Amino acid sequence: MDFSISPIAYIKSDFPTKFGIPRQSGLVQELQGTIVFEPEYRNSDALRGIEDFSHLWIIWQFSEAVREEWSPTVRPPRLGGNTRMGVFATRSPFRPNHLGLSCVKLLGVECTGNQGTVLHVGGADLMDGTPIFDIKPYIPYSDCHNDATGGFTDTADGFLLEVDFPISLLQKFPESKRTAVIGVLSHDPRPSYQRTPNRVYGLSFAGFDIRFTVEEKCLKVTDVIAL
């Protein structure tokens, strides 16, 4: 039996491309996005009571990774991109149904004139324009497990980089975006298979192209260009 689902909303974020997006939600809490509902779902009654929850689950589509075929194993970036794991033991975007799951912080509910009621969220790991299929409240007593283990992701903190961001370049960003952009860079946006010394990388974020290099555990920003 075939099933089909349609987006109920899309997100507006500071990432025009998928490069540099944190590999999990919540890693950079300062990142902000706005969930805008499709016209047929712009009914404020559908959001009644949502402001009583601090966090939400978002079910969405890896819209830039849709493929007809799938593989039972993938190569997680956190394992260097060389070790294969079962696709269902990872959060890889390359999966049979291309579905993503993110836990975000609800920052506010706003009634707008032309877009209906929108949700402002923090910590989202979604590209601008990502289609959203469902939203559910995060419920601490059932969703939080203090004895949980994280498998190969338990060593994620070891991948953090020191960020050397010259103040003259950082000040090109609005003050509200500065902590977020440093957080994004600290999580090493490079693909796991690209570790070439002295290579200059480019990351698009919040209307700017950020040029940077990485040497050992230090990321150095070399230029910031308005897009």
Side-chain angles (χ1 to χ4, degrees):
M1 181 181 296
D2 291 332
F3 294 91
S4 64
I5 54 177
S6 300
I8 63 166
Y10 292 83
I11 194 165
K12 292 184 175 180
S13 78
D14 286 319
F15 293 100
T17 68
K18 63 182 180 179
F19 181 77
I21 297 177
R23 293 179 174 90
Q24 301 295 336
S25 59
L27 290 180
V28 183
Q29 289 287 345
E30 295 80 8
L31 287 176
Q32 296 188 16
T34 300
I35 296 174
V36 180
F37 289 87
E38 288 286 84
E40 60 265 42
Y41 300 105
R42 292 176 186 174
N43 186 326
S44 59
D45 286 341
L47 297 172
R48 186 184 302 172
I50 200 168
E51 65 277 359
D52 295 330
F53 295 90
S54 65
H55 291 75
L56 305 172
W57 288 111
I58 299 177
I59 300 171
W60 48 279
Q61 183 186 53
F62 287 104
S63 52
E64 294 296 299
V66 175
R67 299 177 177 179
E68 291 186 1
E69 71 282 354
W70 71 283
S71 171
T73 61
V74 294
R75 295 180 292 182
R78 286 302 182 224
L79 292 177
N82 297 315
T83 303
R84 285 197 169 271
M85 301 288 288
V87 64
F88 301 129
T90 75
R91 295 190 177 183
S92 168
F94 305 109
R95 18 192 0 99
N97 287 313
H98 318 105
L99 294 179
L101 178 68
S102 295
C103 183
V104 299
K105 185 174 183 178
L106 179 60
L107 301 177
V109 181
E110 180 185 4
C111 296
T112 68
N114 61 342
Q115 294 181 328
T117 302
V118 303
L119 303 178
H120 299 293
V121 297
D125 54 336
L126 282 72
M127 187 179 73
D128 186 56
T130 293
I132 295 172
F133 293 126
D134 203 4
I135 298 171
K136 302 176 185 293
Y138 175 93
I139 303 175
Y141 82 85
S142 64
D143 294 346
C144 180
H145 301 278
N146 292 327
D147 59 343
T149 58
F152 65 86
T153 67
D154 281 341
T155 59
D157 288 346
F159 289 85
L160 290 176
L161 300 176
E162 177 186 350
V163 178
D164 179 1
F165 207 137
I167 189 63
S168 59
L169 297 178
L170 183 60
Q171 287 177 340
K172 292 187 177 183
F173 286 89
E175 188 172 355
S176 62
K177 304 286 185 184
R178 294 173 190 172
T179 302
V181 69
I182 291 174
V184 168
L185 295 171
S186 72
H187 282 277
D188 196 351
R190 297 174 299 166
S192 57
Y193 54 84
Q194 290 183 4
R195 293 293 186 268
T196 307
N198 301 318
R199 174 169 179 166
V200 178
Y201 297 87
L203 166 64
S204 296
F205 179 80
F208 292 90
D209 181 31
I210 307 165
R211 304 290 176 85
F212 65 91
T213 61
V214 179
E215 184 175 351
E216 297 295 334
K217 298 289 289 183
C218 181
L219 182 151
K220 180 177 178 59
V221 177
T222 59
D223 204 358
V224 173
I225 304 168
L227 296 174

